[in-house]
C-alpha cells in the first residue's frame, strides 16, 4: 500500500460513520474564494461550417421541421435547458471571409458566396449545398433572434483579414444604433429588429496567426489597434476580444501584448479579452465511437493540458498587463474526431460524441472553474452538428449528445464563487496519460449551497472519496451522475436517450464519503449548515 492510500485508510478508520475506506480525498475551503464563475465560461460557438448553421440551426420558415421563424424549434427548446449565456458567431475561419453586409436586407436578394470550407477535400467530394455555397439566409438578424430565443448574449467575430475597420464600425452601427437614428438602424428594422441588438462582445478577427491573416503577434497588434481605435458606442461600450494564441504559442501572446502597448499601456483598458484556442484533438484511429482503453486515457490526459495553457498564457499576459485588466477567453475548445461517414457527407466534422467526450467536457469545465479569476468566457466548439457538439440534427432527426448533459449538470456552477478545493487522488499509470489523475474537479458556493463536480477517468475502478468542508456540516446531498458500463456509450437518432444522467440522494454529516463511479462525470449539490 502506498503512503497516500495508507493515510486515507487510516483517516477513514478514525472518522466515525465513514462508510468506505477512502481512496481519494476532497477538501473544500469555503474561506478561500478564487473568483466568481463567469456564466460566460459556459458559452457556445456556431460557425457556417458543415451542418452547424444550415440544417442545424436554420431550417427555413417553409420547412416541415418544426421551427420558430426558420429556426429549429427542438434545438431552441433543448438549448434553453443548458442556460447558454453567450454564443459566438459566424466563425471560426469563416469569420475572416464573411461580409456581414451579405447577410442583411431582404433574404431573397442576398448574394451566394463560396464558403471558406468549400475546398476542404472531404467536402469537395460531397454534393453541393449551403455548406459549400453560402446563401446568406442566416445573417445578423437571424442570429440575434436565435440568441434571444435561447436566452444567450451574441458574441460576434468580425472579419479582420478581408474587410476594413470601416466595415467593422458599420457592423457595430447596424447592430447597436438606436431605433430610427441611422440608415443602418433603418435597414436593421427592415430585417425585423427595430430596437438595437445591443451586441456587447466583439471579436476582432479569428486565429489571426493562421486563417485570419497569417500575421505575427506584432503585426496583428497593429491591426487590432487600428480596428478598435474608433467605433460608435451608443449606450453600450463594446467589449473587444483579441485573437489570441494557438495552443502553446507563448511567443504570440508575448509579442501581441508588447506591441499592443508600445505607444501606451492605456490601450490595455480597451481590451476585454485575449482568446486562446485549444482542441485536445483525437487519439488512435481518430474515430469518435471506436477507440481503445488507451485512446480513452490519452485523450483525457490531453484535455488536462488546458490547465497549463491557461496558467502559462496568463502569466505572460501579466508581464505587460500588470493591472490585470485583460481577461483570458477560450473561445474554441473541445475534442476533435474524424467526420463520421454515416452522417450526411456535407456535414463536415460531424460525429457522435461518446461518454469519453463527456469526460473531456467535465475535465475542461472544471479547469475553467478552478481558474475563475482568469477566464472570463469560453465557447465549446461547436454547438450543433460540429466537432465537440451538444446536438446532432439532420433533417427531421434530432438528438442531444453526452456533452449536452455535462453542460446541463455544470450550469449549476454559473455565477457561483469558485472556492479552493484540493482533490488528492492517484495519478493514472497508463502510458501516454501522464498528468491524468483518478479524480479531479471543482467546487462553487452559492450562498449556503455548494456545487461540486468531479470526473473519474478510471474505466474500471470507482473512486471512494472522503469529502470534507472545513468544520461545516452538510445536508441535502444530491448526486447527478453521467456514466455507463460501456465507455463508448453515446446517443443516436434512433436511441436519443442511450446515455443520460441519473440522480440519487446521499447521506452526509460533517464530512461524508462518496463513491464516484468508474468512467463518470458527477455533480454533487449540498447545503452548508
Ligand atoms: O472550429 C473549427 C475551426 O477550428 C475554426 O473555424 C477555426 O477557428 C479553428 O481552427
Amino acid at each position: 500500500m502506498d503512503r497516500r492510500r495508507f493515510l486515507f485508510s487510516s483517516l477513514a478508520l478514525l472518522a466515525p460513520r465513514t462508510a468506505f475506506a477512502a481512496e481519494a480525498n476532497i477538501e473544500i475551503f469555503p474561506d478561500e474564494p478564487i473568483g466568481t464563475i463567469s456564466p460566460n465560461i459556459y458559452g457556445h460557438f456556431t460557425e457556417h461550417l458543415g451542418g452547424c448553421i444550415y440544417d442545424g440551426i436554420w431550417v427555413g420558415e417553409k420547412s416541415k421541421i418544426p421551427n420558430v421563424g426558420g429556426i429549429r424549434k427542438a434545438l431552441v427548446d433543448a438549448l434553453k435547458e443548458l442556460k447558454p449565456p453567450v454564443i459566438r458567431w459566424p466563425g471560426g475561419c469563416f469569420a475572416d471571409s464573411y461580409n456581414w453586409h451579405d447577410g442583411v436586407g431582404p433574404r431573397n436578394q442576398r448574394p451566394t458566396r463560396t464558403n471558406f470550407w468549400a475546398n476542404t477535400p472531404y467536402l469537395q467530394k460531397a454534393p453541393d449545398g449551403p455548406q459549400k455555397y453560402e446563401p446568406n439566409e442566416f445573417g445578423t438578424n437571424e442570429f440575434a433572434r436565435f440568441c434571444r430565443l435561447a436566452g444567450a448574449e451574441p458574441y460576434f467575430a468580425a472579419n479582420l483579414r478581408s474587410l476594413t475597420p470601416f466595415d467593422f464600425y458599420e457592423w457595430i452601427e447596424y447592430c447597436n444604433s438606436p431605433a430610427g437614428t441611422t440608415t443602418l438602424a433603418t435597414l436593421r428594422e427592415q430585417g425585423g429588429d427595430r430596437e438595437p441588438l445591443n451586441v456587447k462582445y466583439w471579436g476582432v478577427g479569428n486565429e489571426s496567426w493562421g486563417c485570419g491573416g497569417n500575421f505575427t503577434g506584432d503585426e496583428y497588434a497593429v491591426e487590432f489597434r487600428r480596428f478598435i481605435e474608433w467605433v460608435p458606442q451608443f449606450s453600450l461600450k463594446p467589449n473587444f476580444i483579441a485573437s489570441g494564441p494557438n495552443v502553446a504559442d507563448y511567443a504570440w501572446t508575448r509579442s501581441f501584448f508588447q506591441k499592443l502597448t508600445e505607444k501606451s499601456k492605456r490601450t490595455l483598458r480597451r481590451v476585454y479579452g485575449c482568446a486562446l484556442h485549444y482542441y485536445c484533438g483525437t487519439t488512435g484511429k481518430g474515430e469518435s465511437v471506436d477507440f481503445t482503453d488507451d485512446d480513452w486515457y490519452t485523450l483525457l490526459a490531453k484535455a488536462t493540458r488546458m490547465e497549463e495553457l491557461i496558467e502559462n498564457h496568463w502569466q505572460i499576459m501579466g508581464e505587460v498587463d500588470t493591472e490585470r485588466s485583460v481577461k483570458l477567453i477560450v473561445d474554441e475548445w473541445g475534442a476533435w474526431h474524424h467526420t463520421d461517414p454515416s452522417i450526411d457527407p456535407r456535414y463536415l466534422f460531424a460525429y457522435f460524441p461518446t461518454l469519453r467526450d463527456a469526460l473531456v467536457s467535465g475535465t475542461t469545465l472544471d479547469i475553467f472553474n478552478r481558474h475563475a479569476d482568469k477566464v472570463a468566457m469560453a465557447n465549446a466548439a461547436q454547438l450543433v452538428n460540429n466537432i465537440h457538439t451538444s446536438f446532432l440534427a439532420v433533417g427531421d432527426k434530432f438528438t442531444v449528445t453526452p456533452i449536452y448533459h455535462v453542460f446541463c449538470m455544470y450550469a449549476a456552477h454559473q455565477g457561483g464563487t469558485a472556492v479552493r478545493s484540493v482533490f488528492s487522488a492517484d495519478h493514472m499509470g497508463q502510458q501516454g496519460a501522464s498528468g491524468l489523475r483518478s479524480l479531479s474537479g471543482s467546487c462553487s458556493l452559492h450562498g449556503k449551497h455548494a456545487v461540486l463536480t468531479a470526473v473519474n477517468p478510471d474505466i474500471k475502478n470507482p473512486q471512494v472519496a472522503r469529502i470534507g468542508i472545513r468544520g461545516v456540516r452538510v445536508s441535502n446531498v444530491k448526486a447527478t451522475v453521467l456514466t455507463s458500463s460501456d465507455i463508448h456509450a453515446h446517443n443516436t437518432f434512433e436511441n436519443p436517450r442511450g446515455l443520460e444522467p441519473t440522480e440519487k440522494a446521499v447521506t452526509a454529516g460533517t464530512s461524508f464519503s462518496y463513491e464516484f463511479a468508474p468512467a463518470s462525470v458527477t455533480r454533487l449539490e449540498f447545503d452548508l449548515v
Side-chain angles (χ1 to χ4, degrees):
M1 186 184 286
D2 68 23
R3 203 176 148 269
R4 204 183 53 74
R5 270 176 202 262
F6 172 75
L7 186 67
F8 290 142
S9 321
S10 318
L11 278 174
L13 288 173
L14 289 174
R17 287 198 295 273
T18 301
F20 306 98
E23 299 286 334
N25 203 40
I26 303 174
E27 217 176 332
I28 298 163
F29 299 87
D31 297 335
E32 297 188 39
I34 298 168
T36 301
I37 297 179
S38 162
N40 286 347
I41 283 176
Y42 291 88
H44 297 273
F45 168 42
T46 57
E47 177 169 4
H48 291 242
L49 198 186
C52 182
I53 300 294
Y54 297 105
D55 204 22
I57 300 174
W58 182 255
V59 293
E61 283 159 328
K62 295 190 187 128
S63 172
K64 288 201 187 98
I65 297 164
N67 66 84
V68 191
I71 294 168
R72 186 185 283 272
K73 186 169 179 314
L75 176 70
V76 171
D77 292 345
L79 182 53
K80 279 197 252 179
E81 300 292 313
L82 288 186
K83 301 199 175 62
V86 64
I87 306 176
R88 179 176 183 242
W89 173 83
C93 292
F94 177 85
D96 280 289
S97 64
Y98 179 62
N99 186 342
W100 71 267
H101 295 95
D102 291 345
V104 300
R107 222 174 273 138
N108 59 4
Q109 289 170 28
R110 297 183 191 170
T112 300
R113 311 264 185 220
T114 311
N115 184 291
F116 174 88
W117 296 96
N119 294 345
T120 313
Y122 189 86
L123 201 53
Q124 262 182 344
K125 286 186 237 132
D128 288 347
Q131 294 78 13
K132 283 189 189 177
Y133 299 105
E134 170 59 51
N136 281 299
E137 277 177 40
F138 189 85
T140 299
N141 294 80
E142 289 78 15
F143 178 70
R145 195 146 45 79
F146 173 56
C147 288
R148 270 200 305 276
L149 289 170
E153 291 282 346
Y155 162 21
F156 283 4
N159 180 342
L160 175 131
R161 188 194 68 228
S162 51
L163 288 184
T164 66
F166 182 67
D167 294 285
F168 181 47
Y169 84 65
E170 276 195 314
W171 201 9
I172 295 178
E173 187 168 271
Y174 179 86
C175 293
N176 293 352
S177 56
T181 57
T182 65
T183 304
L184 288 174
T186 306
L187 186 60
R188 181 188 70 222
E189 187 172 346
Q190 287 160 4
D193 287 293
R194 177 167 163 74
E195 296 309 318
L197 305 178
N198 289 331
V199 180
K200 279 192 218 156
Y201 302 108
W202 292 91
V204 184
N206 167 75
E207 296 194 348
S208 303
W209 40 264
C211 61
N214 201 12
F215 295 109
T216 63
D218 297 31
E219 290 164 347
Y220 172 67
V222 175
E223 292 294 317
F224 179 82
R225 282 209 308 256
R226 200 154 69 98
F227 266 67
I228 68 164
E229 185 46 31
W230 190 88
V231 294
Q233 291 207 357
F234 313 108
S235 57
L236 198 77
K237 185 172 164 285
N239 290 313
F240 296 122
I241 296 167
S243 165
N246 183 28
V247 194
D249 186 354
Y250 300 120
W252 171 277
T253 303
R254 185 168 281 121
S255 62
F256 170 70
F257 273 82
Q258 284 173 352
K259 191 74 177 177
L260 183 72
T261 50
E262 195 178 50
K263 291 188 71 192
S264 166
K265 269 205 156 193
R266 278 197 304 254
T267 311
L268 288 171
R269 296 193 198 145
R270 308 196 47 220
V271 186
Y272 177 72
C274 173
L276 161 73
H277 287 182
Y278 174 56
Y279 290 93
C280 61
T282 188
T283 48
K285 289 187 291 180
E287 289 178 22
S288 68
V289 174
D290 184 8
F291 54 85
T292 64
D293 288 4
D294 279 348
D295 296 339
W296 161 282
Y297 287 116
T298 310
L299 187 69
L300 292 173
K302 283 165 74 175
T304 66
R305 192 171 175 211
M306 183 66 88
E307 186 136 39
E308 89 184 36
L309 295 172
I310 291 172
E311 285 169 350
N312 292 347
H313 284 293
W314 183 252
Q315 188 252 318
I316 291 167
M317 287 159 67
E319 292 169 5
V320 173
D321 181 19
T322 48
E323 290 175 12
R324 291 295 189 190
S325 55
V326 184
K327 290 292 184 188
L328 200 51
I329 311 280
V330 187
D331 60 16
E332 289 185 31
W333 68 268
W336 191 336
H337 308 293
H338 295 171
T339 306
D340 189 318
S342 75
I343 302 178
D344 185 317
R346 291 169 297 184
Y347 292 21
L348 190 59
F349 310 141
Y351 53 81
F352 292 93
T354 66
L355 180 61
R356 178 171 65 147
D357 301 295
L359 268 75
V360 166
S361 308
T363 302
T364 307
L365 294 170
D366 281 325
I367 292 171
F368 294 153
N369 289 342
R370 294 201 294 270
H371 294 280
D373 53 333
K374 310 175 184 72
V375 184
M377 189 199 287
N379 309 75
Q382 300 192 7
L383 182 73
V384 48
N385 285 341
N386 216 264
I387 314 181
H388 199 73
T389 193
S390 287
F391 305 96
L392 287 164
V394 179
D396 59 1
K397 294 184 280 187
F398 180 79
T399 183
V400 302
T401 73
I403 296 167
Y404 169 82
H405 291 304
V406 175
F407 269 92
C408 282
M409 288 162 65
Y410 277 59
H413 279 298
Q414 291 186 15
T417 303
V419 292
R420 192 163 80 87
S421 50
V422 177
F423 286 66
S424 308
D426 286 335
H427 279 284
M428 301 296 304
Q430 283 76 13
Q431 215 188 353
S434 69
L436 186 63
R437 283 180 180 270
S438 52
L439 198 65
S440 66
S442 66
C443 182
S444 65
L445 297 183
H446 309 247
K448 291 277 183 200
H449 186 70
V451 178
L452 184 148
T453 45
V455 172
N456 175 9
D458 194 318
I459 295 173
K460 295 204 174 67
N461 302 303
Q463 291 297 315
V464 182
R466 185 167 169 225
I467 304 170
I469 307 136
R470 279 289 155 96
V472 180
R473 279 182 64 80
V474 301
S475 68
N476 297 330
V477 186
K478 210 173 64 185
T480 309
V481 188
L482 186 70
T483 189
S484 170
S485 53
D486 176 8
I487 57 170
H488 309 95
H490 60 282
N491 296 336
T492 61
F493 296 124
E494 295 71 34
N495 186 14
R497 302 188 62 183
L499 182 61
E500 57 184 13
T502 52
E503 295 200 352
K504 62 177 182 191
V506 180
T507 315
T510 312
S511 65
F512 63 102
S513 288
Y514 182 80
E515 181 172 311
F516 291 91
S520 67
V521 182
T522 301
R523 178 186 70 195
L524 295 177
E525 291 188 274
F526 43 89
D527 295 328
L528 309 180
V529 287

